[in-house]
Amino acid sequence: MSKIKNIKVNLKELKSEKEKNFKERLKFIDYWTNYIKNKGSRWGKQQNLLVDSQID
Amino acid sequence: MEYNVKRGEIKIDKELNNLDKFVLDFVSVLKNYVIVSGYVSIILGRSRATEDVDLLIPPMKKIEFNTFWKKVIEKGFWCINTPDSEEAFDMLSQNAIRFAKNKNPIPNIEFKFIKNEIDKFSYKNKIKVLIGSTSFFVSPLELQIAYKLFLGSNKDIEDARHIYGLFREKINKDELTDSLNKLGVYKKRKFLEDE
């Protein structure tokens, strides 16, 4: 098994990926809010499935 | 989703989920409360779950708290911190206490007395969210957005953007600016929408 101390990590690159990922997540927030505004009540069932999946 | 700003009401066209019912069950024994933080964005459609719901209540005297305690225990809730109402009441002067239902510790209600000016403002200016014949009281949207930016994690920023994106046209921009300034996060308004 290889050891993590032996790999080279480019932290600058990782941070850049982290920022790109966050920007992409914010774009999805915009997509979802538009969906809520334009797709009537369809969003509710989808959200309920997600929320209810955590509760017995 | 319709926000009537004059009436301070948001109407939501959806079925209640189990988290909504859990919260409703709890707040039904309270006359006065306001829901703050993560659940506000979730009840407004945010696509995520939560392990707790934050509730602020005007400070109670011990007698009033004991009455509330009996009612909430009868409904099947239990206090995660302590089974003793006296101890729970004492804790409230320092911290929040948490109530869960049946045998599961999540989800739970984080129950806190109103302490600071932000809490008081949230309570005094609360708005009503209507789902069918049921309703919840939540903090004003402008303050909620600013507070989420103040908390500042990616999740919190996403919550803020969600609320702003939904109600961009209805939000009081002056009130939002004042809220952002009050919490020292005016520069973070860039996260609310792409320029």
Side-chain angles (χ1 to χ4, degrees), chain B residues 144-175:
Chain B
Q144 184 65 19
I145 290 167
Y147 194 71
K148 278 283 166 175
L149 292 179
F150 171 77
L151 293 176
S153 73
N154 285 2
K155 179 196 72 178
D156 293 314
I157 292 171
E158 289 164 18
D159 284 355
R161 187 163 176 130
H162 175 88
I163 297 173
Y164 182 81
L166 269 184
F167 298 111
R168 184 195 331 255
E169 294 81 24
K170 299 269 180 120
I171 276 167
N172 183 319
K173 297 291 189 313
D174 289 337
E175 193 65 22

Side-chain angles (χ1 to χ4, degrees), chain B residues 17-81:
Chain B
N17 57 45
N18 290 337
L19 183 61
D20 300 329
K21 290 173 191 171
F22 170 82
V23 175
L24 261 175
D25 211 13
F26 189 89
V27 301
S28 68
V29 305
L30 289 167
K31 287 180 196 163
N32 304 303
Y33 70 91
V34 65
I35 295 167
V36 298
S37 214
Y39 182 66
V40 177
S41 62
I42 292 171
I43 201 177
L44 298 176
R46 175 87 157 91
S47 55
R48 72 170 178 89
T50 185
E51 73 266 13
D52 69 358
V53 175
D54 298 345
L55 217 61
L56 292 175
I57 288 94
M60 288 178 179
K61 296 208 166 121
K62 207 178 251 191
I63 294 177
E64 197 186 347
F65 180 77
N66 286 340
T67 306
F68 152 77
W69 179 273
K70 279 186 194 140
K71 284 184 185 169
V72 96
I73 299 297
E74 272 165 22
K75 281 198 161 263
F77 288 90
W78 54 286
C79 179
I80 293 176
N81 308 79

Side-chain angles (χ1 to χ4, degrees), chain A residues 44-55:
Chain A
K45 272 189 188 159
Q46 294 174 65
Q47 195 218 28
N48 285 357
L49 266 173
L50 169 66
V51 171
D52 285 345
S53 67
Q54 70 158 137
I55 301 175

Side-chain angles (χ1 to χ4, degrees), chain B residues 118-132:
Chain B
I118 293 286
D119 292 349
K120 284 179 197 166
F121 188 89
S122 288
Y123 177 71
K124 280 188 184 155
N125 297 283
K126 59 189 180 288
I127 60 177
K128 197 187 250 192
V129 173
L130 295 145
I131 305 177

